[in-house]
Amino acid sequence: MSYFDFLEELGIVNPNTSSLQGCIEEYIHGIPCGDRLRTGLLFEEDENYDELQQDKYQNEFIFKLLQFISLGGSLNQWEQSITEYIESVKDLYKDLVSVAKDETTNEVRPMSHVFKITGLDSTNGVEFPSEAAHPQNFTYVIVDPLKWHVTVFQNKWTSSW
């Protein structure tokens, strides 16, 4: 997918092999970060962190799916190739988001509306979707105006230990 070409430009992915560039493994938020993708997404001192936190990426649902898939869960087995992540993201995106041809431009574009749901209870300070702030805690509501469907996509990080 050409959308993710910026990962090669940032030096996160080797353009010849599609392999993720490795680095010394560190645990950040309980997630082992042994490649430049996970490190760039989580480690504030990484050279790519500021770039990956920009609105042009953070406001794109497909990027948030890549973040979810690549960071994984507490018992995740990570891949060395970006291709595996992109294929998973593409399949998940197709399941969650409806597309249609725009009649004015004849381009295929997403029709679904994606909303990130967060909340704070002022009485006891409990944040929704989870009590603890973690990059893998989220709730998205995807509204499909064509089929009149609503899909809830939610994840809560749970430590394996």
Side-chain angles (χ1 to χ4, degrees):
M1 292 181 74
S2 60
Y3 172 79
F4 293 111
D5 287 348
F6 70 91
L7 295 172
E8 291 178 0
E9 295 165 10
L10 293 175
I12 293 171
V13 174
N14 182 321
N16 299 321
T17 63
S18 297
S19 296
L20 293 168
Q21 300 288 7
C23 61
I24 296 173
E25 189 170 282
E26 293 188 53
Y27 278 78
I28 304 166
H29 302 293
I31 300 172
C33 298
D35 60 56
R36 295 195 58 199
L37 177 59
R38 285 180 277 142
T39 304
L41 290 169
L42 295 175
F43 189 48
E44 293 178 9
E45 295 178 17
D46 185 78
E47 64 188 64
N48 291 316
Y49 180 82
D50 288 337
E51 177 71 22
L52 294 176
Q53 297 305 313
Q54 289 186 21
D55 287 345
K56 67 181 178 180
Y57 302 123
Q58 293 295 320
N59 290 337
E60 291 294 329
F61 185 56
I62 197 163
F63 180 80
K64 299 308 277 183
L65 290 176
L66 176 69
Q67 181 174 336
F68 167 66
I69 295 291
S70 63
L71 294 179
S74 58
L75 296 175
N76 196 44
Q77 182 175 346
W78 288 274
E79 295 292 334
Q80 297 298 315
S81 173
I82 192 67
T83 308
E84 302 298 325
Y85 292 127
I86 290 176
E87 289 301 316
S88 296
V89 167
K90 188 174 13 172
D91 291 342
L92 190 55
Y93 190 82
K94 285 179 182 179
D95 285 344
L96 295 172
V97 176
S98 290
V99 296
K101 187 179 263 189
D102 187 337
E103 294 176 8
T104 58
T105 63
N106 282 337
E107 292 180 0
V108 176
R109 64 180 196 93
M111 300 304 289
S112 296
H113 303 283
V114 180
F115 302 95
K116 184 173 184 178
I117 308 299
T118 58
L120 186 63
D121 182 354
S122 61
T123 59
N124 60 9
V126 175
E127 191 174 335
F128 179 82
S130 177
E131 308 83 41
H134 192 278
Q136 289 294 73
N137 291 340
F138 59 80
T139 300
Y140 291 98
V141 174
I142 301 109
V143 179
D144 182 345
L146 302 176
K147 298 176 186 170
W148 291 42
H149 287 169
V150 173
T151 304
V152 176
F153 181 58
Q154 182 175 30
N155 188 60
K156 181 178 177 187
W157 172 266
T158 305
S159 176
S160 61
W161 305 106

